Amino acid sequence: MAAHLKKRVYEEFSKVVQLPQEEAPAKKLRLTKPSKSAALHIDLCKASNPTDALQYLLSFARSSVEAESVEGVVRILLEHYYKEQDNSVRLKIASVIGLLSKTQNFNPESILDDTLNTFNTEKSHQVLAQLLDTLLVIGTQLPESPAVRHRLIEVACKHLSDTYFGVRNKCLQLLGCLGNVDTHLNKDGHGSVPPGIVAPGGSGGIGVRDVQSVISDYFTDQDPRVRTAAIKAMLQLHERGLKIQQAIYDQACRLLCDDYEQVRSAAVQMVWVLSQLYPESIVPIPSSNEQVRLVDDSFGKISHMVSDGSWVVRVQAAKTLGNMLQVSPQFLEQTLDKKLMSDLRRKRTAHERAKELYTSGEFSSGRKWADDAPKEKVDTSAVNLIASGACGAFVHGLEDEMYEVRNAAVDALSALAQSSASFAEKCLDFLVDMFNDEIEEVRLQSIHVLRQISTNITLREDQLDTVLAVLEDSSRDIREALHELICFTNVSTKECIQLALLELLKNLTKYPTDRNSVWKCLKFLGGRHPTLVLPLVPELLSTHPYFHTPEPDMDDPAYIAVLVLVFNAAQSCPTMTALFSDHTFRHYTYLRDSLSHLVPPLRLPGRKQAPGVCGIDGSGSVESAQLFLQQSLCRVSTIHNLQDPGAQDLLNFTIRDLQRLGELQAELAGAADFSATYLRCQLLLTKALQEKLWTMAVPLCLKHNAMATAAAKQILEETYKLEFLYSGLENRQVATIHHVRLQAKALQLVLTARTRRGVEPLISVCEKFLQEVESFQRLFVIELPHLQDSFVGKLLELSPRLSACKPGELVKILQTTLRQSGFLNLQLPEQIQRASGTIIEPTGESDNPLRFTSGLVVALDIDATLEHVQDPQNTVKVQVLYPDGQSHVIQPKPGDFRSPGPHRHRLITQVYLSHSAWTEACQIEVRLLLAYSSARLCKAAWRDGTTEGLQPTDGTTEGTIPFGKPVKVFIMPKPARR
Amino acid sequence: MPEIKVTPLGAGQDVGRSCILVSIGGKNIMLDCGMHMGYNDDRRFPDFSYITQQGRLTEFLDCVIISHFHLDHCGALPYMSEMVGYDGPIYMTHPTKAICPILLEDFRKITVDKKGETNFFTSQMIKDCMKKVIPLNLHQTVQVDDELEIKAYYAGHVLGAAMVQIKVGSESVVYTGDYNMTPDRHLGAAWIDKCRPDILISESTYATTIRDSKRCRERDFLKKVHETVERGGKVLIPVFALGRAQELCILLETFWERMNMKAPIYFSTGLTEKANHYYKLFITWTNQKIRKTFVQRNMFEFKHIKAFDRSYIDNPGPMVVFATPGMLHAGLSLQIFRKWAGNEKNMIIMPGYCVQGTIGHKILNGQKKLELENRQTLEVKLQVEYMSFSAHADAKGIMQLIRMAEPRNMLLVHGEAKKMEFLKDKIEQEFSINCFMPANGETSTVATNPSVPVDISLNLLKREMALGGPLPDPKKPRTMHGTLIMKDNCVSSLIFFSDFGCPWLEHQLRFTCRVQLQDAHSDSDTHIRIYTHLKSVLKGYTIQHLPDGTVMVESIVIKVSSSPEEPNTKVLLLSWSYQDEDLGSFLSTLLKKGLPAALSSM
């Protein structure tokens, strides 16, 4: 086939070129495909000067060529290549050949020989470099062929001694991408080649050397670009899975002091790779007899690079340090070590001083000048100013001028601290210091890092103090990250708890919007440290042994904060409740009800516990609830035919049970809701079908019809909810949902057929329905066996008849199939979660209307948490409903979404409201919408099929599902004053 | 052999009055021209009579370079140029040129108007002097004349501070001025490329200090201020007008911004306002953060910091005030201090060093009762804090700079002799380079070994190409054979012999070396033993055992001979060509160690 086409290509262009006049127009039309290459040929022949030729080539490179005609095109190009005098045109031709060889389904082996031949005549270095690049493309297309690879490598070695750096670069790149260690080791080994004069890349040399040593020769090339390329080629070899020899380590280390930053940067990577390959081998320390592990040695060397002159290298080095987890602890801890000295006397760092003050139990006075005065005299010979090795690498990195370096250093600290608890302890001070960085990004990053390692550490009081100082930061992100951090922190003393509470309350008064976050933070703080909270309780609740103290205001957020802390501590500390006063208990029951997510159930002495509370605590309840769910579904599955008596009652009861279960058991809420909704769909369907209307004459059943139509519509809506509101659905469930939807649509079809006269409107509806059945079949081929007995199963049995029959017939078939089809059982997937959205801000409690001048806009701050929403940036929208029925849907910016945890998203955005003037304040409704489009699903299913089969979106439905409670906001647009 | 001579006229083993003479490649350059704060007599200025007894300096100096605007680096400039007499070019960076006259004028005012000195330079002289200034840009190479070129590098320290590279031919000197290797809130860290100067002249103020991380210091400072303000106290920060004051302003400004604080911050006006104006203009000289954000907001346009008025002293409520002068010896800062000293809620933060005798020094030493004029006493109840925010490189920073620049020699100035001594030892030990620390008036001489550029004739080059195969070979140096032509006492070109019409062949340079070896084997056995030994040691080299009994390593020939009298003492003859010098010397040392005994079994 290909050969045949090739012939046609040749025929075609030669005819077009030589006999343009005599060409019959009919033939031209027939051969549309190869005409492109022919056109190129004409163009290139026509081109009088290099600029024109370049233009043609450029425009040609933009269009795509079919795989069959590539070879022909390449021949044409090469023909021109040999004729062409101008370097730039030849260069472009070479690059176009490279581009062409990437064409899908084209085997570039066929053009390899031709391409290689060009090397014999080429004189221009630039063109040579480009040709090598083309070879690289060809080579990477043919990874399986050793013969090709061998030839390419030979070419590369031959040109390694070129004087132009670009050629050497490309050769090295080629060697890196294609070179192989074993293929080039000559068996008879050494001695056969005359020593000395022959250049390492010379034709004879390659016989005895393997690719690695050839490449490593160029580590000392005179051109920094070539040196970089050599290191990169070596790294490429490593990436391809070849084992790099340890002998290269010394050379790589020497390159760390290269004059050029790109070389140093690549060398850092190289040294790192070697340290990962040979972590345990031993290397000598120069100028001493000691030896260290290679990974330690390289760690020291890379640490040194953190104080390099170029920030690119510093970033690279700092990043790399984070990946060296095998390093020994004493080296690791050196990175944080910086011996201080003042006037030749040893001085303690502020960190050490703080620690000492803490351990000695004395609080820092900080009032005396020179209380940090240096003490002991330093032995001058022992002070090592450029400490070799890792000394103080992170101290430097964290103080760097460029925030990129600081960020990389913080990341590296995090990685290392997570692998070593003692290091985590040590780096704490430094991370805490970073909370004070001038760039918010770095501050935020260090808070996150501290949170990640906080399982390893306990904060000292002075450290906590510094951490808490950041609570006053005006940036909301910082504060929230800090709250998150405090949730996971361990503290050591009760003073710490007190301090934290105090600062959090301060935060609360300064930024009241942080309310929820602060409460949540205190919930964890209390839950983690019950014993530390216990001695504080009387003080916190301001109880007095003899006197009754005034009852605090229940609506005071600060008081609630204190209660949240106490109640959560009391959960695991039963003696605490004895300290509560009466009103505390009352407040407990109130809060337990209103803020149940923050206040845990407590065992209160002498109090009857609410039954609801009883059901929830107790750890076994999840399993029992699960069992209950399974049983309910089992019971339902016994229904074979929905027409059975009692089936409806059973469904009704099960739906009720499941709904209640969902309310009680948060873990199973998703599954319970999902099945309840599904069952409700079934119930509705049954009811609609059971009506007597089907036996009645058409004109009599208008009223009943209305009911059935409503049911069909509702089922449709519910199926969309089922499909898009729940995450964790498998293909099987989706099929079931679509099946229900199909049933609903069939019902609609039947109803229209009954109510309308005439056939014309029916024809199009029927066609649409049949299309849907077809697409259902296409989408869920795998699931069809499970649907054997169902509505669709039966329909498909009749499918040949269906497409042929008239609308009237179809309706009849549908009607009987609908009524005969059995109940399709629902299989619950492993994990199923319902997407939920809660608007935290605005709260909807405010009675003060938002006033603004009509016609202008006012910004309303929205703060909402979203759970289990997939891809919220594209799906979540905010809807604003005005009292006059106007509604606006606002798409928040992608940047407004943050992701504080898995499956959790936070939407902090502003919506702009505007309206014409009102006479008095009125409420608008703000709600969250989940947008869906069935196209998403269909595209995923089509992806494995043909690529061109992107059908027009005829079958897609788009819409929105409201989720979460709407919030009402008072607004008052005033008429503009003139 | 060419030499570079360095003579400090000031700042040699001393701090203050920086003035260093450098003569390099026949050019004389003066680096900095400062005054000494500690003296009020003639010692205040450098002794220019060292250069010439009478007459103007113009013919003795090729140029003057000022590193930054601090008075101990530029205070004597108008005196030198206008009163002693110098008309040549003066180089300084743009910000230095802008701010320097403000400081000089202020200095003049204090000396002449307040202290009533005569015979001092006038305002007009400052103006005339500044007319001779040629501004420099960072990393811009400026040709002073045909041979002398200078180039400025960023130095941190203060706005516009620069390090200068002075280059004549291939000889070069780098003078650092004052510099800072750790970035701060408004300035970046000093940076220099690997320029490998013959001499690096570095300041060494903190030669024996390694400083704690700046974050701890900043945090402490902010915490103290924050606590006091929250208590409702007032904070007084006495500062010098330029440099550290801006640093502290930025620090407080961003902190106020971040923490959403409301208490007012004041800055006593005066020359600072003018200077702040220049800080706003020279954004390119600041650090990354300020440079990147100035489009949204220029960090020097302070939102929270307002101008101070004397009437605010008695205002109630918390406030933070920056006031000059820094040592609390006079002026506004002292006035405010007197008012606020009685209240223990207030606080004073001394951000720098205080000279003995000043009130600043007294309170830092914990004096609780101060005697004022008119026999008044002042009880000091407010808190006194000391916070060092110095912008000099510490010992580690100096070492870091040396590592960056890789100089061949070091020269320390601007520091105390005793401390320099320590650093000098360290430098010599760790980098194994010479380090000098001349006193004032003492000359240090460094012999240089400049590489001499030579033109090669095309013929020679072509011939070499034909002989030696394709270039380049990264592993080997190449020798060329030709004739050097010297004209007018300097080397001009290298040409091919035959260009002269001489048909001589080229010489070959070979080194030979004898190594004595105790080995109880026959000659041929020794050969084999050497062969196997070298083979095990030198991997990756071609080693051959030729039939005539010699061993060849690459192109090095090793031959064994022994005298019949002492058959066990073998004499190894090594011979290698000049190109293989490295390998040859390695081999000779290797063989001197003898052959390992274990080989005998083979």
Side-chain angles (χ1 to χ4, degrees), chain A residues 922-942:
Chain A
C922 213
Q923 278 176 328
I924 56 161
E925 238 179 52
V926 180
R927 67 165 87 207
L928 296 174
L929 294 182
L930 191 73
Y932 64 85
S933 142
S934 57
R936 267 196 290 160
L937 189 82
C938 297
K939 259 180 211 149
W942 287 336

Side-chain angles (χ1 to χ4, degrees), chain B residues 36 82 110 212 230 314 323 358 404-405 455 480 494 506 561:
Chain B
H36 204 294
E82 305 308 313
I110 290 173
D212 200 354
E230 274 207 335
D314 296 320
T358 57
M404 264 172 149
D455 301 327
M480 290 201 161
L494 180 70
E506 60 267 24
S561 63

Side-chain angles (χ1 to χ4, degrees), chain B residues 576-594:
Chain B
W576 63 86
S577 65
Y578 172 74
Q579 288 94 320
D580 279 321
E581 167 63 24
D582 285 347
L583 184 60
S585 48
F586 170 73
L587 270 184
S588 67
T589 44
L590 180 77
L591 289 172
K592 268 179 197 153
K593 286 184 197 153

